[in-house]
Short mmCIF file of all heavy atoms in Angstrom, two decimals:
data_model
loop_
_atom_site.label_atom_id
_atom_site.label_comp_id
_atom_site.label_asym_id
_atom_site.label_seq_id
_atom_site.Cartn_x
_atom_site.Cartn_y
_atom_site.Cartn_z
N ALA A 1 -15.65 -30.17 73.61
CA ALA A 1 -14.29 -29.84 74.04
C ALA A 1 -14.29 -29.07 75.33
O ALA A 1 -13.49 -29.28 76.24
CB ALA A 1 -13.53 -29.08 72.94
N ILE A 2 -15.23 -28.13 75.44
CA ILE A 2 -15.40 -27.32 76.66
C ILE A 2 -15.76 -28.24 77.88
O ILE A 2 -15.16 -28.13 78.96
CB ILE A 2 -16.42 -26.23 76.49
CG1 ILE A 2 -15.92 -25.17 75.47
CG2 ILE A 2 -16.78 -25.54 77.83
CD1 ILE A 2 -16.98 -24.22 75.04
N LEU A 3 -16.69 -29.15 77.64
CA LEU A 3 -17.09 -30.04 78.69
C LEU A 3 -15.97 -30.96 79.06
O LEU A 3 -15.76 -31.27 80.29
CB LEU A 3 -18.30 -30.86 78.26
CG LEU A 3 -19.61 -30.11 78.10
CD1 LEU A 3 -20.73 -31.02 77.69
CD2 LEU A 3 -19.98 -29.43 79.44
N LEU A 4 -15.16 -31.43 78.11
CA LEU A 4 -14.06 -32.33 78.41
C LEU A 4 -13.00 -31.62 79.24
O LEU A 4 -12.48 -32.15 80.24
CB LEU A 4 -13.46 -32.88 77.16
CG LEU A 4 -12.22 -33.81 77.29
CD1 LEU A 4 -12.53 -35.00 78.19
CD2 LEU A 4 -11.68 -34.21 75.94
N VAL A 5 -12.56 -30.45 78.77
CA VAL A 5 -11.56 -29.67 79.58
C VAL A 5 -12.07 -29.38 80.96
O VAL A 5 -11.36 -29.52 81.97
CB VAL A 5 -11.25 -28.35 78.82
CG1 VAL A 5 -10.34 -27.45 79.71
CG2 VAL A 5 -10.56 -28.62 77.50
N GLY A 6 -13.36 -28.98 81.06
CA GLY A 6 -13.95 -28.77 82.36
C GLY A 6 -13.93 -30.02 83.25
O GLY A 6 -13.65 -29.97 84.45
N SER A 7 -14.25 -31.15 82.62
CA SER A 7 -14.27 -32.40 83.37
C SER A 7 -12.86 -32.78 83.93
O SER A 7 -12.72 -33.25 85.05
CB SER A 7 -14.82 -33.56 82.50
OG SER A 7 -16.16 -33.27 82.11
N LEU A 8 -11.84 -32.54 83.11
CA LEU A 8 -10.50 -32.84 83.50
C LEU A 8 -10.07 -31.92 84.68
O LEU A 8 -9.41 -32.35 85.60
CB LEU A 8 -9.53 -32.72 82.32
CG LEU A 8 -9.74 -33.71 81.20
CD1 LEU A 8 -8.77 -33.47 80.03
CD2 LEU A 8 -9.69 -35.19 81.67
N ILE A 9 -10.40 -30.67 84.57
CA ILE A 9 -10.10 -29.74 85.61
C ILE A 9 -10.84 -30.12 86.90
O ILE A 9 -10.29 -30.08 87.99
CB ILE A 9 -10.48 -28.26 85.20
CG1 ILE A 9 -9.62 -27.82 84.08
CG2 ILE A 9 -10.36 -27.32 86.40
CD1 ILE A 9 -10.02 -26.49 83.47
N PHE A 10 -12.10 -30.48 86.75
CA PHE A 10 -12.95 -30.90 87.91
C PHE A 10 -12.29 -32.08 88.64
O PHE A 10 -12.19 -32.11 89.81
CB PHE A 10 -14.34 -31.29 87.38
CG PHE A 10 -15.24 -31.80 88.45
CD1 PHE A 10 -16.10 -30.93 89.13
CD2 PHE A 10 -15.31 -33.16 88.71
CE1 PHE A 10 -16.99 -31.42 90.09
CE2 PHE A 10 -16.22 -33.66 89.71
CZ PHE A 10 -17.00 -32.77 90.38
N TYR A 11 -11.84 -33.07 87.90
CA TYR A 11 -11.25 -34.28 88.48
C TYR A 11 -9.86 -33.97 89.01
O TYR A 11 -9.51 -34.48 90.10
CB TYR A 11 -11.18 -35.42 87.43
CG TYR A 11 -10.97 -36.77 88.06
CD1 TYR A 11 -11.85 -37.25 89.01
CD2 TYR A 11 -9.93 -37.59 87.69
CE1 TYR A 11 -11.71 -38.50 89.55
CE2 TYR A 11 -9.72 -38.85 88.24
CZ TYR A 11 -10.65 -39.28 89.20
OH TYR A 11 -10.44 -40.53 89.76
N ALA A 12 -9.08 -33.15 88.34
CA ALA A 12 -7.74 -32.82 88.85
C ALA A 12 -7.79 -31.99 90.07
O ALA A 12 -6.83 -31.94 90.85
CB ALA A 12 -6.98 -32.08 87.71
N TYR A 13 -8.93 -31.34 90.36
CA TYR A 13 -9.08 -30.58 91.55
C TYR A 13 -8.88 -31.41 92.81
O TYR A 13 -8.31 -30.98 93.80
CB TYR A 13 -10.49 -29.96 91.59
CG TYR A 13 -10.75 -29.07 92.82
CD1 TYR A 13 -10.40 -27.72 92.86
CD2 TYR A 13 -11.39 -29.60 93.93
CE1 TYR A 13 -10.63 -26.95 93.96
CE2 TYR A 13 -11.62 -28.84 95.03
CZ TYR A 13 -11.22 -27.50 95.06
OH TYR A 13 -11.49 -26.75 96.17
N TYR A 14 -9.29 -32.71 92.75
CA TYR A 14 -9.05 -33.59 93.88
C TYR A 14 -7.59 -33.93 94.06
O TYR A 14 -7.00 -33.87 95.15
CB TYR A 14 -9.89 -34.88 93.67
CG TYR A 14 -11.35 -34.69 93.79
CD1 TYR A 14 -12.14 -34.63 92.63
CD2 TYR A 14 -11.99 -34.62 95.04
CE1 TYR A 14 -13.52 -34.45 92.73
CE2 TYR A 14 -13.37 -34.46 95.09
CZ TYR A 14 -14.14 -34.37 93.99
OH TYR A 14 -15.46 -34.19 94.10
N ASP A 15 -6.96 -34.28 92.90
CA ASP A 15 -5.51 -34.59 92.94
C ASP A 15 -5.10 -34.72 91.47
O ASP A 15 -5.69 -35.58 90.74
CB ASP A 15 -5.21 -35.84 93.71
CG ASP A 15 -3.72 -35.98 94.00
OD1 ASP A 15 -2.89 -35.57 93.15
OD2 ASP A 15 -3.37 -36.54 95.06
N VAL A 16 -4.06 -34.01 91.04
CA VAL A 16 -3.66 -34.10 89.62
C VAL A 16 -3.19 -35.46 89.28
O VAL A 16 -3.34 -35.94 88.12
CB VAL A 16 -2.49 -33.08 89.38
CG1 VAL A 16 -1.97 -33.23 87.97
CG2 VAL A 16 -2.97 -31.65 89.64
N LYS A 17 -2.67 -36.23 90.28
CA LYS A 17 -2.21 -37.60 90.00
C LYS A 17 -3.32 -38.50 89.55
O LYS A 17 -3.10 -39.50 88.87
CB LYS A 17 -1.55 -38.18 91.24
CG LYS A 17 -0.39 -37.46 91.81
CD LYS A 17 0.28 -38.22 92.91
CE LYS A 17 1.36 -37.44 93.65
NZ LYS A 17 0.73 -36.46 94.55
N TYR A 18 -4.57 -38.19 89.91
CA TYR A 18 -5.69 -38.99 89.55
C TYR A 18 -5.90 -39.07 88.02
O TYR A 18 -6.46 -40.03 87.49
CB TYR A 18 -7.00 -38.45 90.19
CG TYR A 18 -7.04 -38.59 91.71
CD1 TYR A 18 -8.08 -38.01 92.45
CD2 TYR A 18 -6.08 -39.34 92.39
CE1 TYR A 18 -8.14 -38.13 93.83
CE2 TYR A 18 -6.15 -39.45 93.80
CZ TYR A 18 -7.17 -38.84 94.46
OH TYR A 18 -7.26 -38.95 95.87
N LEU A 19 -5.45 -38.01 87.33
CA LEU A 19 -5.64 -37.97 85.89
C LEU A 19 -4.90 -39.13 85.19
O LEU A 19 -5.41 -39.58 84.15
CB LEU A 19 -5.12 -36.61 85.30
CG LEU A 19 -5.94 -35.39 85.68
CD1 LEU A 19 -5.24 -34.14 85.16
CD2 LEU A 19 -7.36 -35.49 85.12
N ALA A 20 -3.84 -39.61 85.76
CA ALA A 20 -3.11 -40.70 85.14
C ALA A 20 -3.96 -41.96 85.05
O ALA A 20 -3.98 -42.65 84.04
CB ALA A 20 -1.82 -40.99 85.89
N PHE A 21 -4.75 -42.22 86.12
CA PHE A 21 -5.64 -43.38 86.12
C PHE A 21 -6.81 -43.17 85.14
O PHE A 21 -7.25 -44.12 84.45
CB PHE A 21 -6.17 -43.60 87.55
CG PHE A 21 -5.11 -43.92 88.55
CD1 PHE A 21 -4.44 -42.86 89.22
CD2 PHE A 21 -4.76 -45.22 88.84
CE1 PHE A 21 -3.46 -43.15 90.17
CE2 PHE A 21 -3.77 -45.50 89.77
CZ PHE A 21 -3.11 -44.45 90.44
N LEU A 22 -7.30 -41.94 85.09
CA LEU A 22 -8.38 -41.66 84.17
C LEU A 22 -7.93 -41.82 82.73
O LEU A 22 -8.64 -42.41 81.91
CB LEU A 22 -8.89 -40.22 84.40
CG LEU A 22 -10.00 -39.70 83.49
CD1 LEU A 22 -11.23 -40.53 83.58
CD2 LEU A 22 -10.30 -38.25 83.81
N PHE A 23 -6.78 -41.28 82.40
CA PHE A 23 -6.27 -41.41 81.02
C PHE A 23 -5.98 -42.84 80.66
O PHE A 23 -6.19 -43.28 79.54
CB PHE A 23 -4.95 -40.59 80.89
CG PHE A 23 -5.14 -39.11 80.90
CD1 PHE A 23 -4.15 -38.25 81.37
CD2 PHE A 23 -6.36 -38.51 80.58
CE1 PHE A 23 -4.32 -36.89 81.43
CE2 PHE A 23 -6.57 -37.19 80.62
CZ PHE A 23 -5.54 -36.33 81.08
N PHE A 24 -5.52 -43.63 81.63
CA PHE A 24 -5.28 -45.07 81.38
C PHE A 24 -6.55 -45.79 80.99
O PHE A 24 -6.60 -46.51 80.02
CB PHE A 24 -4.63 -45.72 82.59
CG PHE A 24 -4.32 -47.17 82.44
CD1 PHE A 24 -3.16 -47.57 81.80
CD2 PHE A 24 -5.22 -48.17 82.83
CE1 PHE A 24 -2.86 -48.90 81.66
CE2 PHE A 24 -4.94 -49.50 82.72
CZ PHE A 24 -3.76 -49.87 82.10
N ALA A 25 -7.62 -45.56 81.76
CA ALA A 25 -8.90 -46.21 81.47
C ALA A 25 -9.45 -45.75 80.12
O ALA A 25 -9.95 -46.58 79.35
CB ALA A 25 -9.92 -45.85 82.56
N ILE A 26 -9.27 -44.51 79.81
CA ILE A 26 -9.80 -43.93 78.48
C ILE A 26 -9.04 -44.56 77.36
O ILE A 26 -9.65 -45.08 76.35
CB ILE A 26 -9.69 -42.40 78.50
CG1 ILE A 26 -10.71 -41.78 79.46
CG2 ILE A 26 -9.94 -41.91 77.04
CD1 ILE A 26 -10.51 -40.30 79.64
N LEU A 27 -7.72 -44.56 77.39
CA LEU A 27 -6.89 -45.01 76.27
C LEU A 27 -7.03 -46.49 76.06
O LEU A 27 -7.12 -46.95 74.92
CB LEU A 27 -5.43 -44.61 76.51
CG LEU A 27 -5.11 -43.12 76.44
CD1 LEU A 27 -3.65 -42.84 76.82
CD2 LEU A 27 -5.39 -42.59 75.04
N VAL A 28 -7.00 -47.26 77.12
CA VAL A 28 -7.08 -48.72 77.02
C VAL A 28 -8.40 -49.13 76.34
O VAL A 28 -8.43 -49.92 75.37
CB VAL A 28 -6.96 -49.44 78.36
CG1 VAL A 28 -7.37 -50.91 78.28
CG2 VAL A 28 -5.51 -49.36 78.86
N THR A 29 -9.51 -48.61 76.83
CA THR A 29 -10.80 -49.05 76.28
C THR A 29 -11.08 -48.38 74.94
O THR A 29 -11.75 -49.03 74.10
CB THR A 29 -11.93 -48.64 77.30
OG1 THR A 29 -11.79 -47.25 77.61
CG2 THR A 29 -11.83 -49.43 78.59
N PHE A 30 -10.60 -47.15 74.70
CA PHE A 30 -10.82 -46.56 73.37
C PHE A 30 -10.05 -47.27 72.29
O PHE A 30 -10.58 -47.61 71.24
CB PHE A 30 -10.33 -45.06 73.39
CG PHE A 30 -10.45 -44.37 72.11
CD1 PHE A 30 -11.66 -43.98 71.63
CD2 PHE A 30 -9.30 -44.14 71.33
CE1 PHE A 30 -11.80 -43.32 70.42
CE2 PHE A 30 -9.40 -43.49 70.14
CZ PHE A 30 -10.64 -43.08 69.61
N CYS A 31 -8.79 -47.62 72.51
CA CYS A 31 -7.95 -48.29 71.54
C CYS A 31 -8.51 -49.74 71.34
O CYS A 31 -8.54 -50.20 70.19
CB CYS A 31 -6.57 -48.40 72.01
SG CYS A 31 -5.68 -46.81 72.03
N ALA A 32 -9.03 -50.37 72.36
CA ALA A 32 -9.58 -51.69 72.23
C ALA A 32 -10.83 -51.61 71.33
O ALA A 32 -11.06 -52.50 70.50
CB ALA A 32 -9.98 -52.26 73.60
#
């Protein structure tokens, strides 16, 4: 959980909008 939160903060540092694309890739492939 610590690594995941850290990873999301790390990626959002570039641009918070990028998280939407990351969440899309995660949810689509995880649900599949």
Side-chain angles (χ1 to χ4, degrees):
I2 292 170
L3 291 181
L4 176 58
V5 172
S7 297
L8 297 179
I9 294 173
F10 178 90
Y11 197 56
Y13 180 86
Y14 291 101
D15 193 326
V16 176
K17 300 187 189 75
Y18 292 172
L19 289 177
F21 298 88
L22 177 61
F23 290 153
F24 181 83
I26 291 172
L27 290 175
V28 166
T29 52
F30 177 75
C31 292

